[in-house]
Amino acid sequence: MLVHIPNVLTSEEIAYCRKTLEKSQWVDGKVTAGDQSVKAKFNLQIPQESAESQELGEIILQALGRNPTFNSAVLPLRVFPPLFNRYDEGMCFHTHVDNAIRHLPGTGFRIRTDVSSTLFLSGMDEYDGGELIVQDTYGVQKIRCPAGDMVIYPSTSLHSVEKVTRGSRWASFFWSQSMVADDTQRTLLYQFDQSIMDVRKQLPDDHSAVLGLTATYHNLLRQWAVL
């Protein structure tokens, strides 16, 4: 399931992130690449352990916490601390699949990468090229989003970032371990939840149809969730 989530960050948060990133140190993006990706990755990142990365990561995590679409579509159990990348002119990321397991920095814990997220921090007029290409069950999706918007997609998907031909494309990226590992089940729950919200706009919360649908949703989540 690929979902575009608009306005994850406010305009003030976008401006603060950009101002902070402009003052940050940028390093070769291969530092977080796996064995396969290291041969395909040509971009820049700010160091994962830097104060800027941790501060901006907290801003994004707070934004995710208040976003109902992200929580409905991802059903997050754990979220990897957000990272930040930059594609200047000529940079790209060839087709690859994300590592299945990531070590949470500074802990002994690991995270299974079920859902990948890209949060755009550059305006669409600031660069040409740089499209996120995701190969999913509906074919090849070519994605460009306004600053502050985010796209989520299964981490099992082959994906790439096309070469930037003008300007610079900045973004945050991270992974989530979902309470529901199976993408098909997660998609059904998301669609079910969206339908419940539509019904609640037309019927009172104590209507038997609303109660029945909500109960079925939670019973399915109870059956499929692994904590």
Side-chain angles (χ1 to χ4, degrees):
M1 174 178 60
L2 189 154
V3 180
H4 170 214
I5 308 176
N7 303 317
V8 173
L9 295 181
T10 66
S11 57
E12 292 79 13
E13 288 170 333
I14 297 167
Y16 184 78
C17 287
R18 288 294 300 267
K19 182 177 178 181
T20 302
L21 291 174
E22 285 168 2
K23 299 183 295 184
S24 300
Q25 173 194 7
W26 293 89
V27 299
D28 193 323
K30 295 182 189 296
V31 295
T32 56
D35 291 339
Q36 177 200 31
S37 298
V38 73
K39 302 173 185 177
K41 189 176 187 180
F42 303 93
N43 66 5
L44 300 172
Q45 291 179 204
I46 65 170
Q48 186 174 357
E49 69 279 3
S50 69
E52 294 90 346
S53 181
Q54 294 178 30
E55 179 192 10
L56 298 184
E58 281 299 318
I59 291 174
I60 291 173
L61 290 175
Q62 290 177 18
L64 297 179
R66 67 177 183 246
N67 190 287
T69 303
F70 174 81
N71 288 283
S72 176
V74 176
L75 295 169
L77 178 63
R78 298 183 182 91
V79 178
F80 193 88
L83 302 172
F84 299 86
N85 62 19
R86 168 179 173 176
Y87 292 82
D88 292 337
E89 188 172 329
M91 293 182 177
C92 63
F93 200 158
H94 299 308
T95 303
H96 64 286
V97 68
D98 291 333
N99 288 356
I101 304 296
R102 289 270 176 179
H103 292 271
L104 288 171
T107 75
F109 295 102
R110 293 174 293 178
I111 181 173
R112 185 188 62 241
T113 57
D114 296 323
V115 182
S116 298
S117 301
T118 297
L119 174 57
F120 293 84
L121 297 173
S122 295
M124 295 174 67
D125 60 343
E126 295 183 73
Y127 65 96
D128 292 327
E131 290 89 352
L132 173 65
I133 309 297
V134 179
Q135 300 179 31
D136 71 1
T137 54
Y138 297 101
V140 176
Q141 308 294 318
K142 205 171 203 179
I143 303 155
R144 276 171 59 93
C145 294
D149 285 17
M150 184 169 72
V151 63
I152 63 170
Y153 55 94
S155 298
T156 52
S157 305
L158 285 171
H159 58 284
S160 61
V161 176
E162 292 198 333
K163 184 181 293 184
V164 171
T165 58
R166 178 190 64 86
S168 187
R169 171 197 186 273
W170 297 16
S172 175
F173 65 102
F174 53 93
W175 304 272
S176 301
Q177 179 174 333
S178 177
M179 291 183 285
V180 177
D182 185 86
D183 182 59
T184 300
Q185 294 174 339
R186 204 164 53 242
T187 300
L188 288 171
L189 286 169
Y190 174 65
Q191 294 170 340
F192 199 167
D193 193 31
Q194 298 303 297
S195 295
I196 290 172
M197 287 191 282
D198 288 342
V199 170
R200 290 179 66 184
K201 293 175 184 176
Q202 304 173 49
L203 299 173
D205 286 348
D206 60 354
H207 191 282
S208 60
V210 176
L211 294 173
L213 289 171
T214 303
T216 302
Y217 170 86
H218 283 283
N219 287 332
L220 285 172
L221 179 58
R222 184 176 291 109
Q223 181 176 351
W224 291 340
V226 178
L227 306 180

